[in-house]
Amino acid sequence: QVQLVESGGGLVQAGGSLRLSCAASGRTFNNYAMAWFRQAPGKEREFVAVISWSGGSTYYADSVKGRFGISRDNAKNTEYLQMNSLKPEDTAVYYCAARKGAMTTRPGDYYYWGQGTQVTVSS
């Protein structure tokens, strides 16, 4: 059974940093694109960042570009999201997701999802 487990969320002041991790188990994700999405209360799930299976290509939502960095370690089957200069509007539940093949920004394209980790940024 495939499992994605996020960790690293928490409460941080505006301007602070957090690093999220997503550990994958149950299969090898070397040929899978992996992404981060987030969902704030009362809002739809939105794309944050995605990384290709090799790690050589990344793409970010405009709202996080220049502040967030996505990376992965295929030897550890883990992806990361380094979040800097956090803002209150970054408050949401953050989800990691995986899909076989090319990077996309659409949640419906992803097969596997984690349970989510809460990130709260206070002003």
Side-chain angles (χ1 to χ4, degrees), residues 29-52:
F29 282 82
N30 284 6
N31 55 346
Y32 279 63
M34 297 190 75
W36 290 94
F37 293 81
R38 66 187 182 186
Q39 188 166 18
K43 295 188 176 181
E44 293 187 352
R45 191 167 297 189
E46 66 172 358
F47 166 77
V48 175
V50 62
I51 188 166
S52 63

Side-chain angles (χ1 to χ4, degrees), residues 4-77:
L4 299 178
V5 179
E6 301 97 336
S7 60
L11 173 63
V12 64
Q13 287 189 332
S17 298
L18 282 174
R19 188 193 195 203
L20 305 184
S21 299
C22 173
S25 62
R27 68 172 304 123
T28 300
F29 282 82
N30 284 6
N31 55 346
Y32 279 63
M34 297 190 75
W36 290 94
F37 293 81
R38 66 187 182 186
Q39 188 166 18
K43 295 188 176 181
E44 293 187 352
R45 191 167 297 189
E46 66 172 358
F47 166 77
V48 175
V50 62
I51 188 166
S52 63
W53 71 270
S54 69
S57 295
T58 58
Y59 184 75
Y60 298 91
D62 287 343
S63 59
V64 306
K65 201 172 295 182
R67 300 188 297 122
F68 289 11
I70 188 171
S71 61
R72 66 190 293 167
D73 184 339
N74 286 341
K76 296 181 179 179
N77 260 5

